């Protein structure tokens, strides 16, 4: 199916809709059928010309103007077309051409490609040098500050992160925060608190703390602790002075590491005689070659002779800047291995970057990577300019927005979800975005855009009139003759809000707000009549905004109130019949309106697992497009609603509460939930998380039948322990990759069964006791396991012994050890038999 792109706008989908309309036999169209056919002919001709012109490397100004006019015309025509269909009375049945989506099974090998970037060539020496300095003079007890300073793209953040990872275990608490050009001090301080404190009681009501309270609380938290704080990307002395006062000058040998591009700022961070400034240097020629060749050919020593000379010329222009080398090597890796292609890239780069230290030169290199992208990847990359500098962008949030915008269509039997996720990973593999939080299964939870790449894509978005960014004094409204198509509000005051209200907002397709300021002054929702995406995530001032008119957003597909803290949904939400995603996590909404079940296109209904419990709405069985539901309480809901869960034939993710209020009073709920779970397991269910519950509810699970053949994750969060390993956990579960389970007793037989789960990557095992004081994990089973948590409690907690050959791929291990038993048997665990082990935590 045709999709929306940055270059062609809505021209592709518009042609598809015109074709669908001509195929429609509706009698009410007879008088306009000739006009529709003529319109399709004209736009088809324009489409052909646009396809040709957008492939030109350097189009002249006349072509650029014509392309822009046609793109705007296509957007406007599609908007009018959608209104026409709505008034025709065919709005509900019209299919835009985008089919239902599902979760992608991402190739875990992808993770290995970009995980290597955390260990860039040439970084080991500086990392070890700085780590040693950070740990020196621990006996002097005073706080010390280290500043890393250097040009953009030299790898300051990567080096700081490597130092952090190497030494964080030597400190009582630690945190890593980014500051960026427009620091939000309150947000930064709260981010540090969330990382350094494990106490939910301490962090209670953190969302309503003002700046003064936040700083006071953080100082209280750190006063008697040896802390390690990384403050990344400081742009001014004012920013440093505003933040560092939150970190007490205690006598616990604490350390602060700051990164900046500006030497004056670095000096301000390090006023004391024991502080240090470290100036980043470009990579040496051998290290530059190693990084370059490894990314293109897979090895540092496998460059064919014919490419050596041109490679040296390209690397000379990159000037030892890792960002430039990664960008160019990513570009060349996807091109034919023809010398002429490499020569062409060499000529395009321009002058020697290291001599000029030119930001413009770096942008030219990044532009090469951008220009080499196919239209679909250019479009989804430009969409990232919706988010501010240093913003961590959640993968699922991004993917669902791309789908809602119409950027994605099914390809070769892959669902929209799978295609969108493949685009996300392509951006990572091409080093256009940076991965954040790689999970046990190789999936990346989020990404971040390097600030230099962000500057580039914002400029491209302005050029294509793709996104208008409201960002304080840096706001560029764009060509007055072009409509605002997408709106990102990142920093707004009352004056800007009033200026925005004067604009024509009727063609805005997405509104993403990452600023909580001046919410009450924003234009009414009734002005945004063509919205597909409306994202208020973590806008704490949303309660001040009047959300009347929500019912007029008939094309809305994505709506997020996550983290806003609102307590009531706007009544018009039940009229959003095209809605596919509704995110209510971290809100105070207790009850959903009855009419929510009329939203039959809804695929993702997300509420908070750690918060208010909500009833399953009666009639949910009609919402058969649902892929994901979370946060509902089985025992608070009616038995009938629990029964209806079994009708959700497309459900893949089910995360629910089982509130314990007496076993007998909710026996019928537990039985009905078991019945529905068995049905769901025979459909497409992939992830189950049960929070709470009692013995009766969980013992019923022993007879889960038929086997949930698609199940990939099972998690139970409850103080209750199963009396035995459930019968349904067998080697026949060939997709089960994550298992978190509580057992009364752990035996070697249990380990034997679990070890035969061929896809198991992460195992978290909790128990009341073990059968023996020492359990031996033998050299068979668990062939793929990467993460293992083993926490038996009480005096019966036995010790594990890893035989040689056991858990051959284990990377992370967390163990609970009973001191009396350890004294009796010794502390030897056989960890030397785990060759890939990277992280161990013993409690």
């Amino acid at each position: 199916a045709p999709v929306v792109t940055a270059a062609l706008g809505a021209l592709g989908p518009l042609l598809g809709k015109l074709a669908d309309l001509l195929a429609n036999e509706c009698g009410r169209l007879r008088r306009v059928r000739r006009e529709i056919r003529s319109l399709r002919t004209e736009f088809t001709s324009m489409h052909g010309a646009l396809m040709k012109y957008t492939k030109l490397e350097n189009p002249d100004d006349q072509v650029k103007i014509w392309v822009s006019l046609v793109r705007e015309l296509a957007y406007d025509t599609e908007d009018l077309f959608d209104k026409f269909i709505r008034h025709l009375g065919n709005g509900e049945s019209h299919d835009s051409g985008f089919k239902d989506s599902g979760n992608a099974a991402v190739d875990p090998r992808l993770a290995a490609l970009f995980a290597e970037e955390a260990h860039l060539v040439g970084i080991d020496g500086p990392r070890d040098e700085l780590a040693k300095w950070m740990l020196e003079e621990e006996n002097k007890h005073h706080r010390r500050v280290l500043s890393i300073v250097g040009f953009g793209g030299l790898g300051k953040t990567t080096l700081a992160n490597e130092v952090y990872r190497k030494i964080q275990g030597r400190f009582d608490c630690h945190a890593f925060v980014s500051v960026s050009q427009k620091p939000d001090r309150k947000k930064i301080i709260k981010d540090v608190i969330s990382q350094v404190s494990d106490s939910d009681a301490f962090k209670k009501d953190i969302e309503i703390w003002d700046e003064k309270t936040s700083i006071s609380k953080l100082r209280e938290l750190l006063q008697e602790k040896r802390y390690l704080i990384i403050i990344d990307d400081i742009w001014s002395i004012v920013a440093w002075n505003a933040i560092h006062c939150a970190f007490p000058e205690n006598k616990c040998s604490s350390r602060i590491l700051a990164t900046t591009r500006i030497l004056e700022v670095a000096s301000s961070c390090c006023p004391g005689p024991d502080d240090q400034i470290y100036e980043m240097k470009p990579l040496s020629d051998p290290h530059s070659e190693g990084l370059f060749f490894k990314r293109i050919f897979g090895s540092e020593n496998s460059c064919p002779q014919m490419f050596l000379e041109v490679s040296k010329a390209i690397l000379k222009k990159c000037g030892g800047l890792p960002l430039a080398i990664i960008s160019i090597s990513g570009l060349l890796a996807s091109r034919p291995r023809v010398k002429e292609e490499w020569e062409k890239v060499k000529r395009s780069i321009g002058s020697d970057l290291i001599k000029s230290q030119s930001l413009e030169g770096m942008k030219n290199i990044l532009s090469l990577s951008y220009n080499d992208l196919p239209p679909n990847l250019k479009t989804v990359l430009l969409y990232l300019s919706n988010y501010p500098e240093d913003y961590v962008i959640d993968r699922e949030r991004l993917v669902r927005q791309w789908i809602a915008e119409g950027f994605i269509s099914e390809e070769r039997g892959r669902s929209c979800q799978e295609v969108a996720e493949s685009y996300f990973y392509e951006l990572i593999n091409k080093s256009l975005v940076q991965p954040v939080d790689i999970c046990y299964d190789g999936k990346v939870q989020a990404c971040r855009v390097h600030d230099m790449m962000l500057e580039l894509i914002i400029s491209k978005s302005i050029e294509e009139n793709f996104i208008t960014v409201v960002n304080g004094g840096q706001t560029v409204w764009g060509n007055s003759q072009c409509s605002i198509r997408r709106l990102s509000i990142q920093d707004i005051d009352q004056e800007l809000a009033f200026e925005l209200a004067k604009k024509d907002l009727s063609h805005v397709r997405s509104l993403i707000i990452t600023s909580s300021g001046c919410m009450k002054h924003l234009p009414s929702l009734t002005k945004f009549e063509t919205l597909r995406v409306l994202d208020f995530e973590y806008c704490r001032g949303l309660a001040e905004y009047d959300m009347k008119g929500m019912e007029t957003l008939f094309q809305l597909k994505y709506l997020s109130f996550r983290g806003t803290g609102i307590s009531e949904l706007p009544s018009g939400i039940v009229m959003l019949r095209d809605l596919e995603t509704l995110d209510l996590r971290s809100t105070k909404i207790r009850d959903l309106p009855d009419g929510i079940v009329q939203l039959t296109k809804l695929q993702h209904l997300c509420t908070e697992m750690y918060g208010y419990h909500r009833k399953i709405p009666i009639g949910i069985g009609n919402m058969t497009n649902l892929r994901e539901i979370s946060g509902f309480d089985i025992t608070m809901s009616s038995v009938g609603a629990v029964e209806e869960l079994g009708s959700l034939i497309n459900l893949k993710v089910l995360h629910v509460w089982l509130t314990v209020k007496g076993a007998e009073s909710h026996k019928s709920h537990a039985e009905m939930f078991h019945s529905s779970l068995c049905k769901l397991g025979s459909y497409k269910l992939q992830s189950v998380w049960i929070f709470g519950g009692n013995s009766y509810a969980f013992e019923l699970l022993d007879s889960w039948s038929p086997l949930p053949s698609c199940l990939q994750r099972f998690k139970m969060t409850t103080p209750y322990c199963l009396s035995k390993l459930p019968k349904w956990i067998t080697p026949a579960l060939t997709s089960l990759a994550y298992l978190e389970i509580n057992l009364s007793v752990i035996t070697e037989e249990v380990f034997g069964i679990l070890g035969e789960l061929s896809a198991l990557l992460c195992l978290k095992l909790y128990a009341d006791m073990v059968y023996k004081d020492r359990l031996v994990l033998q050299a068979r089973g668990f062939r793929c396991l990467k993460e293992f948590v083993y926490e038996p409690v009480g005096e019966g907690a036995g010790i594990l012994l890893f035989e040689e050959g056991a858990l051959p791929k284990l990377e992370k291990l967390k163990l609970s050890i009973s001191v009396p038993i350890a004294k009796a048997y010794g502390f030897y665990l056989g960890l030397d038999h785990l060759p890939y082990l990277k992280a161990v935590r013993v409690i």
Side-chain angles (χ1 to χ4, degrees), residues 127-137 144 167:
R127 178 201 62 197
D128 294 344
E129 177 188 342
L130 296 185
K132 180 181 178 184
W133 184 90
M134 294 283 277
L135 297 176
E136 281 176 354
E137 301 189 10
R144 302 171 81 193
I167 67 173

Side-chain angles (χ1 to χ4, degrees), residues 710-781:
C710 297
L711 193 66
Q712 297 175 8
R713 289 174 54 93
F714 180 84
K715 178 178 180 178
M716 55 185 288
T717 303
T718 173
Y720 173 73
C721 289
L722 296 172
S723 59
K724 60 180 179 178
L725 192 69
K727 295 175 184 174
W728 56 270
I729 298 180
T730 73
L733 293 178
T734 54
S735 298
L736 189 63
Y738 179 102
L739 179 61
E740 183 171 337
I741 194 167
N742 303 3
L743 295 173
S744 294
V745 180
I746 296 179
T747 64
E748 289 180 349
E749 182 184 2
V750 167
F751 278 123
I753 296 171
L754 296 177
E756 293 181 30
L757 295 170
S758 59
L760 195 63
L761 297 171
C762 181
L763 174 62
K764 297 187 177 181
L765 205 52
Y766 306 93
D768 282 342
M769 61 174 294
V770 294
Y771 183 66
K772 292 181 177 179
D773 289 338
R774 166 162 286 192
L775 288 175
V776 178
L777 278 169
Q778 300 177 343
R780 62 175 184 269

Side-chain angles (χ1 to χ4, degrees), residues 323-332 334-335 345 362-374 377-378 381 430-432 453 456:
L323 181 63
I325 295 169
I326 288 170
S327 178
I328 292 297
S329 59
L331 170 67
L332 289 171
S334 61
R335 288 204 172 182
V345 169
M362 179 65 85
K363 284 181 184 176
N364 288 338
I365 283 186
L366 296 179
S367 292
L368 282 177
S369 296
Y370 173 80
N371 293 334
D372 193 58
L373 294 174
L377 289 185
K378 282 181 179 174
L381 177 62
K430 291 179 181 294
S431 302
L432 297 167
M453 177 59 77
L456 172 71

